[in-house]
C-alpha cells in the first residue's frame, strides 16, 4: 500500500479537526487560541518532509498539538512575568545620570580605580583587562599568556579585591 501524505492529512483533518480543537479548548478555555493551536498543528504536519515513517498520524498530530500547547503556556508565563505593576499615584524618581554631581562622583571613582589598577603588577593588569574588558574566559587567558588557569584565577581575584578595597576607602 502506497503512502500519500497529502491524502492522509486531508482525511486526518476531516476526521480529527473537531476532536483536536475540543481537546485544546478544554485546556486553554479560549476558542480562538484552541483554533489557532489546532491550525498550527496541522500546518506543521503539512510542512513535515517525511511523514512516511510515522506509524500513527493521529497520535503524531495530537503530540504536535500538545507540544504547541506547552509552548503556548511557556510564552504566557514569560509574558505574565514580564508585566510589572506600576504605581499609579506618582512615577518613580530616577537619579539623572547626567547631573553634574553624579558625573563628578563617577569620575572620582574612575580616577581612583585607574590609580588602583596601575599599582598592580603588569601581569595582573593584563589578566584583569583581558577578563573584564575583552570578555575572555580564564582558560582562554591562560592559553594566550601561556600561564596556568590557577594563576589567572588568583590574579583576577587579587585585582577585584584591590579595586573593591580602593573604592571602599573613598
Amino acid at each position: 500500500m502506497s503512502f500519500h501524505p497529502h491524502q492522509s492529512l486531508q482525511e486526518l483533518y476531516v476526521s480529527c479537526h473537531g476532536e483536536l480543537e475540543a481537546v485544546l479548548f478544554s485546556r486553554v478555555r479560549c476558542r480562538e487560541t484552541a483554533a489557532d493551536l489546532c491550525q498550527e498543528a496541522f500546518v506543521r504536519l503539512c510542512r513535515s518532509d517525511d511523514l512516511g515513517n510515522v506509524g500513527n498520524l493521529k497520535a503524531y498530530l495530537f503530540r504536535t498539538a500538545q507540544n504547541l500547547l506547552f509552548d503556548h503556556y511557556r510564552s504566557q508565563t514569560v509574558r505574565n512575568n514580564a508585566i510589572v505593576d506600576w504605581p499609579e499615584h506618582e512615577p518613580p524618581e530616577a537619579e539623572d545620570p547626567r547631573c553634574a554631581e553624579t558625573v563628578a562622583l563617577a569620575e572620582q571613582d574612575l580616577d581612583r580605580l585607574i590609580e588602583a589598577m596601575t599599582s598592580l603588577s603588569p601581569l595582573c593588569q593584563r589578566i584583569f583587562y583581558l577578563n573584564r574588558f575583552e570578555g575572555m574566559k580564564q582558560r582562554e587567558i591562560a592559553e594566550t599568556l601561556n600561564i596556568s588557569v590557577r594563576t589567572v584565577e588568583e590574579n583576577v581575584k587579587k585585582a577585584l579585591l584591590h579595586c573593591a578595597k580602593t573604592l571602599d576607602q573613598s
Side-chain angles (χ1 to χ4, degrees):
M1 182 172 146
S2 65
F3 179 72
H4 302 286
H6 295 294
Q7 182 182 1
S8 295
L9 288 175
Q10 186 177 15
E11 292 170 5
L12 185 68
Y13 183 84
V14 170
S15 66
C16 296
H17 178 264
E19 179 184 355
L20 179 59
E21 197 169 310
V23 167
L24 290 168
F25 174 73
S26 71
R27 304 278 166 75
V28 296
R29 309 305 297 168
C30 173
R31 294 254 180 243
E32 291 81 18
T33 302
D36 288 347
L37 292 171
C38 184
Q39 179 183 357
E40 182 61 28
F42 276 104
V43 167
R44 290 199 179 183
L45 251 63
C46 289
R47 289 183 179 162
S48 291
D49 291 332
D50 186 21
L51 293 176
N53 294 331
V54 177
N56 185 339
L57 269 181
K58 182 178 178 182
Y60 189 76
L61 171 68
F62 277 72
R63 172 58 74 182
T64 301
Q66 184 179 15
N67 290 338
L68 289 168
L69 185 63
F70 291 148
D71 290 345
H72 171 74
Y73 285 144
R74 269 188 236 120
S75 68
Q76 287 292 98
T77 301
V78 169
R79 189 174 303 128
N80 290 340
N81 289 340
I83 296 172
V84 177
D85 291 331
W86 198 264
E88 294 179 16
H89 51 282
E90 61 184 68
E93 292 183 25
E95 184 177 326
D96 184 2
R98 299 168 293 169
C99 83
E101 183 181 352
T102 304
V103 171
L105 291 173
E107 286 178 352
Q108 285 178 353
D109 284 347
L110 184 60
D111 288 343
R112 277 194 293 274
L113 202 56
I114 290 170
E115 188 177 319
M117 292 300 297
T118 57
S119 67
L120 294 170
S121 71
L123 177 63
C124 189
Q125 290 177 32
R126 179 83 176 133
I127 290 170
F128 188 75
Y129 176 80
L130 291 174
N131 183 254
R132 298 299 162 159
F133 297 102
E134 294 292 325
M136 292 177 68
K137 299 190 181 308
Q138 294 178 351
R139 179 167 301 285
E140 295 171 332
I141 295 169
E143 291 171 3
T144 300
L145 300 178
N146 198 23
I147 56 177
S148 71
V149 174
R150 179 84 175 140
T151 302
V152 173
E153 291 171 351
E154 288 173 359
N155 279 284
V156 168
K157 180 181 175 183
K158 181 179 176 181
L160 287 172
L161 289 173
H162 187 65
C163 291
K165 184 179 175 183
T166 301
L167 291 176
D168 282 346
Q169 291 173 350
S170 58

